[in-house]
Amino acid sequence: MDIGVLDIKIIDTHENDRVLQLEDTEAGSPKLQYNGFEDRYGVLMASELRFNLNVTSLIDAKYGHLFTGSETRYKVLLEDVSDEENSVELWRGFLLPEQFSEPYDKGSFFIEFIATDGIGRLKNLDWVGFSSMSVVHVLQTCLSVTGMQLPIMFAESVQNTAFNVNYSDLEIDTSSYIDDKGKGKSCYDVLEAVLRSIGCKVFQYNSKWWVIGLNRLNEESIKFYKYSISSVFEGFETIDRDRLFRTFFATPLIEMEAPLNKLTVSWDWGADEYLLPKDVVTAIPNNFGYNSLYADLVYWKLTSNDARVEGDTYIPLSDFGYDYSKIYFDKYFKGFVVKSGNPKVVGDVKLLLRSGEVPDTTVSSGEKSFIQLTDLPSNYLSLKSPVFIEGSDDVDRTAVLNYEGELRLLGAEFNGEIETAKAAIDGDIENNILKNHIVLEIYYKEHKNQTVSDEVLHLSTRLDNGLPAGYFEIEFTREDNKLRFKLEVKDLMFAKTGYYDFRIYPLVRHDYLDAGIFVNVFEFKMNFNTSLDCNIDRGIDFTTRKDLEVFHSTTRMDITNRRLMFSESLKNQLETGGLANNFIPVNVRYHRVKEVYNGSSLWYTNIFIGVDDDVYRMLSGGFSLYRKLENATMQVISLDDYFLGQGESGLEIRQINFSNGDGSSIDLILKTDELFVALDVSNGSFYLDNWLDKWQLVNGYSVANKKFHEVIADLYLDLRYDASYAVRGVVSGLVFPLDFLIFNFIDRRDYYITNLTLDLTQGTTEVVMFERLESRDSSQEDVIEDSGDPLITISAKSDFVSPVFTLPYWQIIVDYELVNISPVEAVLKFTKFTDSPINGGVSTGSVEEVVINQSSGVYKHVIYPLPDEKKGWYEVVLIQGLESNKEYVKVSEIVAPVNEITIVATSFQSKTVVVNITNSLGFPSSLKKNWQEMDNDSVLPVGWYPIGSEQEEVISSTSTQITHTFSNTSAYKFWLEGDGVKSNELFLKWEFEL
């Protein structure tokens, strides 16, 4: 960014945004600092502006009016006013409060001030409120507390495997930020916790908050989600980052970062041991207080083929005629609070399952159950939302089930019937007969939306269930006129991942028991580790390790308020006519067939279908593959008939079809097939939570379908997978957080910046920067052999070239191969596009072609010079009868590098020196050599001083090596000059060079 004039404004926000008149500032004083971490992992890049104002008058406390206790009264704006009519805000903040000091001096002096972006003040402000908020809303809430209402530019590091999730649809339960005593985390800690959990960093620049994935900092072009100051999504914007050549003023310090050997990412998830709500039997029905025949239970649903079976909540009140609208119910109901009037709870609230012979009878009437064992499969209470459990064979992770309740004995007191009932029940307890009258079972299904017929019995209290390992007995005791039962099962293991449902069955008919079962306790608990750890040990010969704790991640188990969740709006979009009904066309990049023979007989056939990243991601995350038939209907291709892989030319769908009798034929994908992907709802897997633990890195190496914190581990490993360089130093010009710096160490490489100090008067920037990295390759396998069919493949990339002898230029490098095509007379086409195809770019009609006559090789298409109409995106394809895969590359603005002339003495014998010359921007228009005789009393040249005048001689401007003979064998300083550029200096004395 070229900046000519900067302006600093101080605005009094308490007095109608009055702009204060500023005086001169000291050279070297105004400095804008971005204080990030000096590594690749920092998530907060707080900034501050330090400046001073000149006091020349004799007025005491001239700037004393800027002394305030308010942290947001005096707004400070840093603006680029190079164009007076179109100023650009570069940064904003607020003056730090309670700061004023000046010397008691009558002369001219400077008063120092500091303005900050407010991130630091978040440490003193606590989070308040309990609600579900989107990730973006939480970030905006924290950043708004700084006093600055700015929009957010957001580029995520992690994305869902199946579909693109807008982070305004990824929600956080903010009660997780409040401890048991009602104390909230500081907004600073909340901001840091969210950023660390999602693998992003934040900074303020150009009137916006920028939230960028740590892995996205390597990208030259970044697609951002745009959010308003109200966290409303406003569309996308792609930012092309500047690549700058800058000169270092002092010797930069270069450090090599070792690759990570060990990495641990821990999620302290605060898991609740209760897998069921604590009020699962005491929750008041949703329609409580209304004249409804059947209770709408909060957590349970009734399945019955007979109207005499009822599920309800038993609430023993002293006055059944009370106006229930005057009762206020707590979230976890264990009673109620009466606003006025007087009934009272005279007993415990219980879940009631009744199966009396007469429908809708009262409990006190006393009647027998009509249910027989054969009626149980059609009559029971079950959970509205089955419990999801991640399967595990860990013997230390076990569950406990507690099921307790009571029944009333039938019989009148006055005629002795109740005594007969007591004796009968005591006999049944002793003889273990009651076990067939109270039944509880647990059923399993893989997916939430599968039907009851798909459920599999997992545990039962019945002996005849065919599950000898899943049988548990209920304990019975009688207390006067009540029969109490209790089932406590410890050390339950759940090895299969899926949904588990509980069925409470009504009482199987008994002559001495009333038809109502009162459930007092229903608890299902599991012991969990305090944290979920993702450990990576590469076993390489380095000692480096990184330990990281995250506050949020994803799990399908609803046992923690620290998990990230999908919003209801996203659920509606997916499950009510959105993504589910869409068939997305597959762009087949290539279709290859390879036949493998056993001797002279065909053994099997390999088919490779190249697909784009998005299709591969969707197929990895639960989408199904379809072909369109002639009648326009869609036919699903079985998962058994294909698999996914990484090939030499990209991501692929693969098939293997055996041709002998040992293998069965599969549904082959033909070259003429029109392919689509869509969500398949037929297997019950179509529900939003199915993708809650399926994530992967954006534009990075990550195995699909991982929990969020496991992908964060991939991110951190990616950042230091290989050895790389970090550079610290001061460069010419002003550099901003989104810029790349091009630095020539070993070779020319890009570096992104983590720390900045901009000296706004001197025009220099102190930087800490890290080498820009490519993501590690996900596979080194799958070299595709010749199939005998014609085949054309290409790979293309753009490259900026700054040669020694010519002006810089761009080139598109195409690596091509034509197989089984002879003679080769192919056409390589470069078609100009309006934008990236991902962003809807289309051909502009501008096409450049070149003829290729070799079967393989590398062609470099030079774009030189670079006029405006040639900047942008290109489609590259090689054609000879059939087309190759299509590649898309981009050429950008050329930033003119700083010219350098470098000389190296290759020999110095007697009075003659041989010097090699390197020019970074080609030959200068004129070139001359310079030398000066030096006194050499000191050992090192640092102590030498001139004893003769400077001498010069014009030499050929195209010289790459020269020979010069000095007049004597004294010591000399030698250098070159051309076009105003001076080379490095050589100090020469006899036969040594420094």
Side-chain angles (χ1 to χ4, degrees), residues 601-641:
S601 301
L602 179 63
W603 183 12
Y604 61 87
T605 303
N606 280 328
I607 297 178
F608 307 95
I609 301 105
V611 295
D612 295 331
D613 291 358
D614 285 346
V615 169
Y616 187 92
R617 179 162 55 87
M618 287 186 283
L619 290 174
S620 300
F623 281 61
S624 294
L625 183 64
Y626 293 82
R627 69 160 56 86
K628 181 185 285 188
L629 302 178
E630 292 183 357
N631 60 2
T633 61
M634 293 293 182
Q635 178 189 56
V636 66
I637 299 174
S638 172
L639 285 171
D640 296 332
D641 290 343

Side-chain angles (χ1 to χ4, degrees), residues 977-990:
E977 292 182 4
D979 291 347
V981 177
K982 181 179 179 180
S983 76
N984 57 301
E985 296 175 334
L986 299 179
F987 291 88
L988 306 167
K989 176 184 177 182
W990 286 89

